Every structure is written in C-alpha cells, then in structure tokens.
Amino acid sequence: MNAPGFSESRVFLTVLELKSFTKAARRHGLSPARVSDIVRQMEDLLGVRLIERTTRSVAPTAAGERLSERLRIVLADYEAALDSIKELGGRPAGSLRLNVAPPAADLIVAPALPRFLARYPEISVEIVEDSGLTDIVAGRFDAGIRPGMRLARDMVAVRISERIPMVVVGAPSYFAARGRPRDPQDLVSHECIRFRLSNGTLFPWTFRIKQRRTEVQVQGRLIAQGMEVARAAVNDGAAIFQVPLPYVASDLAEGRLERVLGDWADTPIDGFFLYYPASRQPRPALKALVQFLRATQTSSPASRTGNVNKVAAVR
C-alpha cells in the first residue's frame, strides 16, 4: 500500500462506525486480521496513530477523527461521481444506506421497497432500523427516515407520508374483563403496554385534554421494543395500547380490536420525512428513491414543512 486507497479508507471508516474490527470485517467480507492490517498500514504510512483499541473498546485518536471527517466527504463525492456516470447509461445505479425509524420501516419502506427494487435493478439498499437519533453523517448513511419533529435543522427533508393518527385500542375480551376507560385518568387502573425507544426512553401516552396536549403516566407489566410483540399482546386481550392507526387498522375493521378514548385523541403525528444533509448533493439512486416514495406515499403537498427546516425540491 503506497497510499491509502478508497477501499482501505472505507474499511477504516467502518471500523470507527461500528467500533469493532470484527464487525467491520464481516461487513466487508474480510478477516479481522486483514482489517487490522489495513488500519496498521494506514497508520504506518501516515506516521500517526489513528485508532486506540483495547480488548473492550475502539475509538479514534484526534488524528483519526480529523481523517474520518474528511474521508467521509471525499468518499461521498467519489461515490456520487461514479453514480452520475452510471446514470448516463439511462438508469440510476449504486447502493443506498438508510437509517430508518422502526415505524417508518414497517409502514412506509416495507410496502414500497420490493416495487422500488423491481423498478431499479441496478440499485441496492441497506436498511438499518433505529429508534434513536443517529447522526447519519457520522454513520455514513445516505439518508434517514424519521417523523418530522425529530429532525435536525441542518437537514433537507421530503415528506413521504400523510399525518398519522394515534389510537388507543384493546381486544373485546380485555374490555369485557376490565371495563372500558372513559377518560385518560381512568388509565391508572388499566394494564397499559409501554414502548421503550433504543435510547432507553419510555414513549409517553399523549392526549388532548382541555385543548392542551398532555402526557399521561400509565402503568403496565409489559414494556416492548418491537411492535409485533405489543400487537400480539393486545390482540390476546392482555392489555391496551396507544399505537399509530395503520398498525391496527385491519384489526379494528375486522373487529379483533376496539378503539377507546377517541374524544381525547392527540393530534396526528406529523408523518414521516426522508432527510439528508443540506450540504450534500443527493446521488442519483437517492433521487430515484425520493421520487418513488413521494409518488407512492404522499398525498399532501411536498411544500408543507411541518417542524423541519427545509423541504427538498428533488430535481
């Protein structure tokens, strides 16, 4: 290695992203020993230590942090240049890495992705589900998908879904045994499923009480991180749950679940947005995905900003 090339630089960035030589090796189809050799050779060539590693941790040095910041920009531009040339062949091409909130993965991406891949056979997509607020630049993601109120202000955002109502639901068997809550204060005597985000936060139950949005503290023996676990428990009559309507629309329509507390329903969440850094020109593959999701999911005008700073005009 006379100088670190693009492939070696990608490996270096992956080690820092995943904080693991073994995980980086797995992603790139290399052995951990080969990944370690690549990093060591880069350090020898540059004359500085780039990564501090112990048996328990992997972290960049000051030099490694500076190099990684610059390399992310260079590699993004390099990949965009290659994709722009491929686009001259008539079809968008390349790979996309997306950081997606689990509800968006379930409700937006999962239904649309098979059709998108069929339409664009030269595009590959990696989906990383994450309920936290990951830095998509540091994580080397092309874009993220989140509710509008959870986006940083330096992001360009494109609405890809309508506003989504939240509902409180339970099985008829649950209400037969425990009764129906008549107002949010009644929830203190009910078994309520709580949902924990990846950062450890318990997602609050919210209602409109006296025209104000109010969080209500609920209790229950089940705390879930996966929606399917919660949905199964509710359908079995174990508890009640506050959930985005699309998750339970079919259950409500077919009578497996019933809705309660509709008079206190919170305002719908602002829907989902695909977002990427304002400083980065979107690659052809990302443009194709944005246009596809807007065409298939959006019924409200793209110019509606909600709580985000900018709305993208995809050209």
Side-chain angles (χ1 to χ4, degrees):
M1 188 192 301
N2 295 322
F6 285 116
S7 59
E8 291 82 10
S9 298
R10 287 193 184 95
V11 170
F12 165 70
L13 290 176
T14 303
V15 171
L16 293 184
E17 174 196 343
L18 301 179
K19 297 180 174 59
S20 168
F21 282 77
T22 301
K23 292 178 181 179
R26 190 178 301 123
R27 174 176 291 180
H28 289 281
L30 302 172
S31 69
R34 177 56 184 149
V35 170
S36 182
D37 286 343
I38 288 172
V39 173
R40 186 172 57 253
Q41 290 173 29
M42 289 181 65
E43 290 175 331
D44 290 344
L45 285 167
L46 297 173
V48 293
R49 193 167 184 81
L50 300 173
I51 295 178
E52 295 290 356
R53 53 269 216 194
T54 69
T55 56
R56 294 186 177 183
S57 65
V58 171
T61 63
E65 184 66 34
R66 178 180 295 184
L67 179 62
S68 67
E69 290 175 358
R70 299 297 297 273
L71 282 179
R72 289 188 187 104
I73 298 171
V74 170
L75 286 175
D77 289 344
Y78 171 72
E79 290 168 355
L82 294 181
D83 288 346
S84 69
I85 297 302
K86 292 177 183 177
E87 191 177 23
L88 294 177
R91 298 182 66 83
S95 61
L96 292 174
R97 291 189 74 230
L98 305 177
N99 187 279
V100 184
D106 294 338
L107 303 176
I108 306 298
V109 178
L113 193 57
R115 290 177 287 128
F116 175 77
L117 294 175
R119 179 176 297 184
Y120 297 101
E122 296 181 30
I123 296 177
S124 61
V125 181
E126 178 182 355
I127 304 294
V128 176
E129 293 190 38
D130 181 4
S131 61
L133 294 176
T134 296
D135 183 338
I136 62 171
V137 176
R140 296 173 57 215
F141 292 97
D142 293 285
I145 300 178
R146 287 284 182 284
M149 69 283 195
R150 303 193 77 199
L151 302 187
R153 296 186 61 82
D154 58 348
M155 294 289 157
V156 174
V158 183
R159 176 182 286 279
I160 58 172
S161 83
E162 300 177 0
R163 303 179 80 193
I164 301 174
M166 295 290 291
V167 295
V168 177
V169 297
S173 60
Y174 175 90
F175 295 128
R178 302 286 298 269
R180 302 168 70 92
R182 301 300 178 184
D183 64 61
Q185 303 307 319
D186 290 345
L187 292 173
V188 296
S189 61
H190 283 269
E191 189 76 19
C192 302
I193 296 176
R194 292 174 291 172
F195 197 82
R196 191 181 299 279
L197 302 177
S198 61
N199 63 5
T201 302
L202 284 172
F203 200 81
W205 286 37
T206 57
F207 298 91
R208 301 294 296 183
I209 300 176
K210 295 181 179 179
Q211 304 306 312
R212 297 180 61 183
R213 185 176 188 271
T214 302
E215 294 185 4
V216 175
Q217 297 299 319
V218 299
Q219 299 298 320
R221 291 176 294 154
L222 175 59
I223 297 175
Q225 282 191 306
M227 192 62 70
E228 287 307 309
V229 172
R231 185 166 172 263
V234 171
N235 274 274
D236 285 343
I240 58 178
F241 191 34
Q242 188 174 59
V243 60
L245 175 60
Y247 276 109
V248 294
S250 61
D251 295 317
L252 289 169
E254 296 172 19
R256 291 187 293 272
L257 296 178
E258 297 175 357
R259 182 177 178 179
V260 294
L261 303 178
D263 291 341
W264 287 268
D266 196 5
T267 53
I269 61 176
D270 199 26
F272 294 105
F273 290 74
L274 184 147
Y275 65 97
Y276 58 89
S279 59
R280 181 187 299 170
Q281 182 69 20
R283 295 160 55 199
L286 182 57
K287 287 184 178 181
L289 178 64
V290 169
Q291 292 168 347
F292 183 86
L293 291 177
R294 288 181 69 185
T296 57
Q297 297 289 343
T298 304
S299 63
S300 57
S303 59
R304 181 179 178 180
T305 59
N307 293 322
V308 298
N309 188 42
K310 300 179 181 179
V311 173
V314 180
R315 299 177 178 87

